[in-house]
Amino acid sequence: MPPFLLNAMPPRDRARVEALYAQPAIDLARDRGVDLETLAAACGLRALERRLEAPISAESYVRLLNVAARELGDPCFGLRVGMAMKPMNFVGYGLALCASPNIRAALEQTIRFECLSHDLGRTTFSERDGEARVDWRSPLFGEPGVEQLCLMIAGCFASFAEWLVGMELSGREVLFPFPDPGHGFSEAVGRLLRTQATFDAECVGGCFPSVILDLPIASSDHSLLPDIQRTLEQRAAARRREVQEPSFVEDVAQCIETNLQLGKARVATVAAALGMSARTMERRLNGANKTFSELLDDVRREHLDVYIRECAISLTEIAFLLGYSEQSSFNRAVRKWVGMTPGAYRSQMLDGGTGKTRG
């Protein structure tokens, strides 16, 4: 995954979707007969009878798309949600899109201000030899149920271009980072998007003639764009500062590290140090797609590589520093991580670099 994407995205437990961006999925599900109480319960949300008034987690949004698709028996539900998106759903930067002089400028606004509406993924675009390509990448790729999210993004880009220029557009190809499920799925997607669908790509993407980038935005007043951009830059800067603060997962990891050498890196101890119950801590970690045992392993694994290079520290001492009361437990953990004994791993690491030896 490109470094710019990792830097631009917040930690998983802080990833959110703004209410206006999520609303079309709820509206479409309701209009097609999905029971909103059932949908809310399945997504871990409050009642959805009224309009959303606050952001929801990225995880809840993906679950919402999947539950609605399942309830409706509609494998293209996410695509229909994306195609139902309007400028108002883009939370502030929709104004920048409408004030852009052409599609190229509108894509540039998307790249700059996408973070204001969601933390689901990020957009790039490129041009070469008369062809243009828009790509959208997400840290959620590879996760179960990401297909509806990918469909939503593809539908969003299709409707995005058409309502900006006020005419139907056809691309060369649309790309999806998951296998074709068959049963006429690719044909259905192709009909809705009026283009060929290709699967098992590295990201969500769209290929089209470069001339489309220069199509003017219908009824655009681009004299407003500089003022809109200044306001959005301030909001985007505030958002970047917010997500650069330590995440809950980082807080737990730091607490584990502090308690590790004391032999107190246990769920109850760490939770108490963070001022919450063990159950609350586990629930919040689960919301960030982590468990306490996985995080404990991560911290131990990171410190192993530091200690193993220090020849002055024996393997028995390393086991103690990593919070293992028994050498056999430490040996099993190292085998699981690196596929060899601690001694063999030390030899391999020192062969590749300079270890500090006893004086």
Side-chain angles (χ1 to χ4, degrees), residues 73-107:
D74 182 2
C76 292
F77 176 76
L79 186 56
R80 300 183 208 281
V81 170
M83 297 177 76
M85 298 287 268
K86 298 294 187 293
M88 64 171 290
N89 300 122
F90 290 86
V91 195
Y93 87 86
L95 294 174
L97 301 181
C98 294
S100 299
N102 52 38
I103 292 289
R104 185 192 310 277
L107 280 169

Side-chain angles (χ1 to χ4, degrees), residues 273-322:
L274 293 170
M276 64 186 68
S277 69
R279 188 171 183 174
T280 298
M281 183 181 73
E282 290 279 23
R283 177 174 52 78
R284 292 186 62 182
L285 285 174
N286 287 339
N289 294 310
K290 274 287 186 182
T291 66
F292 182 84
S293 60
E294 288 171 347
L295 202 52
L296 176 59
D297 258 10
D298 291 345
V299 174
R300 283 171 161 167
R301 176 72 180 85
E302 181 180 344
H303 282 72
L304 172 68
D305 282 353
V306 175
Y307 295 144
I308 206 79
R309 289 183 171 90
E310 297 284 348
C311 294
I313 305 177
S314 71
L315 296 178
T316 301
E317 289 170 327
I318 293 175
F320 172 78
L321 291 171
L322 295 182

Side-chain angles (χ1 to χ4, degrees), residues 297 300 315-320 322-337 340-343:
D297 258 10
R300 283 171 161 167
L315 296 178
T316 301
E317 289 170 327
I318 293 175
F320 172 78
L322 295 182
Y324 290 100
S325 57
E326 297 180 1
Q327 188 71 29
S328 59
S329 299
F330 169 64
N331 293 344
R332 284 195 298 273
V334 175
R335 278 188 177 278
K336 182 181 75 172
W337 295 333
M340 61 185 76
T341 65

Side-chain angles (χ1 to χ4, degrees), residues 63-76:
R63 194 179 300 131
L64 189 156
L65 293 174
N66 281 293
V67 172
R70 185 179 67 243
E71 289 290 313
L72 293 167
D74 182 2
C76 292

Side-chain angles (χ1 to χ4, degrees), residues 17 33 49 123 125 144 225 299:
V17 176
E49 291 297 339
T123 301
F125 81 92
L225 188 57
V299 174

Side-chain angles (χ1 to χ4, degrees), residues 133-316:
R133 175 165 167 167
V134 176
D135 289 333
W136 189 84
R137 292 178 170 83
S138 170
L140 298 169
F141 288 167
E143 295 289 329
V146 76
E147 292 85 356
Q148 292 299 321
L149 173 62
C150 294
L151 289 167
M152 188 280 294
I153 292 296
C156 193
F157 275 120
S159 63
F160 156 92
E162 293 186 358
W163 52 248
L164 284 179
V165 300
M167 58 184 287
E168 289 189 356
L169 299 172
S170 295
R172 307 269 197 230
E173 182 182 28
V174 62
L175 311 170
F176 295 103
F178 56 85
D180 180 0
H183 308 291
F185 180 77
S186 62
E187 291 80 3
V189 170
R191 283 195 301 272
L192 287 167
L193 294 176
R194 297 188 301 281
T195 189
Q196 174 185 331
T198 299
F199 298 88
D200 284 322
E202 63 174 11
C203 61
V204 179
C207 304
F208 50 90
S210 291
V211 293
I212 289 179
L213 291 172
D214 297 315
L215 289 175
I217 303 301
S219 306
S220 169
D221 183 355
H222 30 275
S223 66
L224 300 174
L225 188 57
D227 288 338
I228 294 172
Q229 285 177 323
R230 278 192 290 271
T231 300
L232 295 179
E233 286 289 5
Q234 293 172 356
R235 292 179 57 192
R239 176 62 182 160
R240 284 192 290 270
R241 287 194 298 271
E242 177 186 339
V243 301
Q244 284 168 359
E245 295 174 1
S247 71
F248 179 69
V249 171
E250 290 168 335
D251 289 341
V252 176
Q254 181 62 53
C255 198
I256 288 174
E257 185 175 353
T258 301
N259 285 277
L260 203 55
Q261 296 177 26
L262 302 175
K264 297 181 179 179
R266 293 183 291 274
V267 172
T269 307
V270 171
L274 293 170
M276 64 186 68
S277 69
R279 188 171 183 174
T280 298
M281 183 181 73
E282 290 279 23
R283 177 174 52 78
R284 292 186 62 182
L285 285 174
N286 287 339
N289 294 310
K290 274 287 186 182
T291 66
F292 182 84
S293 60
E294 288 171 347
L295 202 52
L296 176 59
D297 258 10
D298 291 345
V299 174
R300 283 171 161 167
R301 176 72 180 85
E302 181 180 344
H303 282 72
L304 172 68
D305 282 353
V306 175
Y307 295 144
I308 206 79
R309 289 183 171 90
E310 297 284 348
C311 294
I313 305 177
S314 71
L315 296 178
T316 301

